[in-house]
Amino acid sequence: MSHSHLLDTAIGGLIALLGTGIAQWFGFFSSQLERKQKHGELQRERLQKIADGVADGFKWMYSIHLPQSFDSVRDSSPYLSVRPSMVLCRIYFHDLIPYAFAFLKSLTDYHLFVLQSYDPDNKSTLPILAKMSIYNQTKWRELSEAVSSSAALFDEAIEREARKHDPSA
């Protein structure tokens, strides 16, 4: 009878150990899953901030169309609007870096064209859009399209990256 009691105790101990091991495994698996979900949420928030940077680039672009002095247009910079997005790309999303730089380059080219459109001898109060159109309408359209297309490509790349971190995908 003692032998049977010892066997029952050993089996009970193994079952308890097995139950504890399974509970530990499920706890570990659950924490890993939770950590992965939190990481995905953080990545999506970062991507949203990058997308906001694209919108900020457009806000900058439209703000330089407002009537203002040459000095204020010269001193404005698309870089300040887009920089937070670029930093996030460089730290977290290396695949997005070329799109961020292409967008910044298109805004910078546009900014240089705006500056070239100012005639220092002409003190007219024409809006800058009219000045750019008078200066070189074809180039203005070309640069405007370059900003739009680089932004669209950047947005598409952000969307592809976001799908990688979407729990429903």
Side-chain angles (χ1 to χ4, degrees), residues 49-54 82-90 100 154:
K49 288 179 183 177
I50 292 171
D52 291 345
V54 175
V82 182
R83 185 179 189 288
S85 294
M86 295 185 69
V87 169
L88 286 170
C89 291
R90 291 181 72 179
F154 196 9

Side-chain angles (χ1 to χ4, degrees), residues 79-167:
Y79 181 74
L80 297 176
S81 300
V82 182
R83 185 179 189 288
S85 294
M86 295 185 69
V87 169
L88 286 170
C89 291
R90 291 181 72 179
I91 294 172
Y92 299 106
F93 305 103
H94 298 149
D95 292 345
L96 297 181
I97 292 172
Y99 299 99
F101 277 106
F103 183 58
L104 177 60
K105 182 185 180 316
S106 67
L107 288 172
T108 302
D109 291 345
Y110 192 87
H111 187 218
L112 292 173
F113 180 72
V114 169
L115 295 173
Q116 292 168 352
S117 300
Y118 271 89
D119 179 359
D121 298 327
N122 184 355
K123 304 291 185 202
S124 77
T125 57
L126 282 174
I128 188 59
L129 283 173
K131 290 179 184 181
M132 288 189 299
S133 182
I134 292 167
Y135 178 70
N136 186 335
Q137 187 173 26
T138 303
K139 187 166 183 173
W140 169 66
R141 285 185 180 152
E142 184 181 293
L143 291 170
S144 297
E145 179 57 36
V147 170
S148 295
S149 65
S150 66
L153 291 172
F154 196 9
D155 284 340
E156 289 170 11
I158 293 167
E159 188 177 324
R160 280 192 305 275
E161 188 67 34
R163 274 190 235 118
K164 293 178 189 178
H165 305 285
D166 185 0

Side-chain angles (χ1 to χ4, degrees), residues 15-74:
I15 290 173
L17 282 174
L18 185 62
T20 302
I22 290 171
Q24 289 291 325
W25 184 81
F26 276 115
F28 175 75
F29 179 72
S30 175
S31 72
Q32 288 293 99
L33 185 61
E34 185 178 323
R35 209 160 91 210
K36 186 177 180 180
Q37 287 173 339
K38 286 206 180 283
H39 177 72
E41 288 173 20
L42 279 172
Q43 293 297 79
R44 287 190 303 279
E45 287 173 15
R46 291 172 181 139
L47 288 165
Q48 181 60 50
K49 288 179 183 177
I50 292 171
D52 291 345
V54 175
D56 290 343
F58 277 109
K59 286 178 193 172
W60 169 85
M61 184 178 166
Y62 295 125
S63 75
I64 65 169
H65 296 160
L66 300 173
Q68 54 190 302
S69 70
F70 174 81
D71 291 341
S72 64
V73 171
R74 181 196 62 218

